[in-house]
Amino acid sequence: MDWDAYAHTYPQLDDETTVPPLLRRVLDDSAGRLIDVGCGEGALLDRLRETYGEAWSLTGFEVSTVRAEKARGSGHTVLVSGDGVVPVEDGSFDVTTACHVIEHAPDDEVFARELVRVTRPGGLVYVETPVKLPGAWYFRRNPQAGWVLDPTHVREYRSAAAVDEVLTRGGLAVVAEDLTPITYPLAAAGLLVRRVLRLPVSTARPRGLAARAVPIPRYRQQAVLARRPEAAPG
């Protein structure tokens, strides 16, 4: 997959305005080092900086140079490696986040292990991913996964338990989780129409009706907070 070409074609639209509730449980009354693996154009990093200021030292990681440069343009530190291996030492971060990334990974268990590797023993990992309930359908297609929310999804999990199983096999202990509706930004529909009609694409932040989002039937977002176990006694 040419992630830079994809980034040029599909600029990210973030319709979230707050830090996810499960993640806030970890961050509100503490401080330390956090890395957002698959940070995209820096939307979550923006919200974390606005909410916590300098309490948390923030780092992003990307496989796409295009997205990394956009995040850096907002003042974030972003590491890049096309092979998906985060170029840091083991146990470098107190908290690791990966929002809507694991469904793109060629091997989800290998990806989970990488999240474990960069997190210190006893540290926390926060993951978000789509869950496709029975009867769900979306108009995009991936040869491996069928009809999906995004053509680069190589899998969409069919239950919350399936997500937990992958993280557990990767070496994490699930602490908390929630399942909420997935919404579709109306601005994304506008972008799709403009691409089909070959019209210029605006980079302005959506406003009014275009800033709203509607639920996607039978799709949910699984948010999981998990812990890397403490190192075994020597």
Side-chain angles (χ1 to χ4, degrees):
M1 177 68 193
D2 186 336
W3 289 109
D4 284 341
Y6 184 77
H8 281 300
T9 305
Y10 296 98
Q12 291 187 326
L13 292 170
D14 180 41
D15 60 341
E16 299 292 333
T17 58
T18 60
V19 177
L22 280 186
L23 187 56
R24 291 200 70 138
R25 290 190 195 181
V26 179
L27 305 183
D28 276 357
D29 298 313
S30 54
R33 301 187 67 202
L34 179 149
I35 186 167
D36 186 22
V37 176
C39 68
E41 296 172 15
L44 178 59
L45 294 174
D46 286 343
R47 283 180 273 141
L48 292 171
R49 182 173 58 191
E50 291 167 4
T51 304
Y52 299 107
E54 297 182 359
W56 283 90
S57 173
L58 304 174
T59 301
F61 170 74
E62 253 303 320
V63 295
S64 166
T65 302
V66 171
R67 295 212 195 280
E69 286 302 319
K70 289 185 178 181
R72 288 169 179 163
S74 297
H76 298 297
T77 298
V78 181
L79 309 174
V80 178
S81 177
D83 62 4
V85 177
V86 186
V88 299
E89 295 182 359
D90 296 0
S92 294
F93 296 91
D94 302 290
V95 176
T96 300
T97 61
C99 297
H100 292 267
V101 181
I102 195 170
E103 63 272 15
H104 300 269
D107 186 317
D108 52 357
E109 188 172 331
V110 169
F111 180 78
R113 289 175 181 165
E114 181 67 358
L115 300 182
V116 172
R117 183 188 71 79
V118 303
T119 308
R120 66 166 174 81
L124 290 159
V125 173
Y126 175 81
V127 172
E128 290 179 359
T129 189
V131 170
K132 186 176 186 177
L133 301 178
W137 179 86
Y138 204 68
F139 61 85
R140 290 171 172 161
R141 187 167 178 81
N142 179 283
Q144 291 176 250
W147 298 104
V148 288
L149 291 175
D150 184 303
T152 63
H153 288 185
V154 296
R155 73 188 60 79
E156 289 183 345
Y157 300 98
R158 299 307 179 101
S159 69
V163 179
D164 294 347
E165 182 182 352
V166 171
L167 298 180
T168 300
R169 290 201 312 266
L172 290 162
V174 174
V175 174
E177 57 192 334
D178 63 23
L179 203 62
T180 55
I182 289 182
T183 58
Y184 180 78
L186 294 180
L191 279 175
L192 180 61
V193 171
R194 297 185 77 84
R195 288 192 194 102
V196 170
L197 298 178
R198 300 183 181 277
L199 297 174
V201 175
S202 172
T203 58
R205 190 175 184 84
R207 297 179 180 276
L209 182 63
R212 298 182 182 179
V214 295
I216 301 175
R218 305 297 294 162
Y219 266 101
R220 300 291 183 270
Q221 174 178 278
Q222 170 77 341
V224 182
L225 186 64
R227 187 179 300 278
R228 174 180 175 177
E230 297 282 356

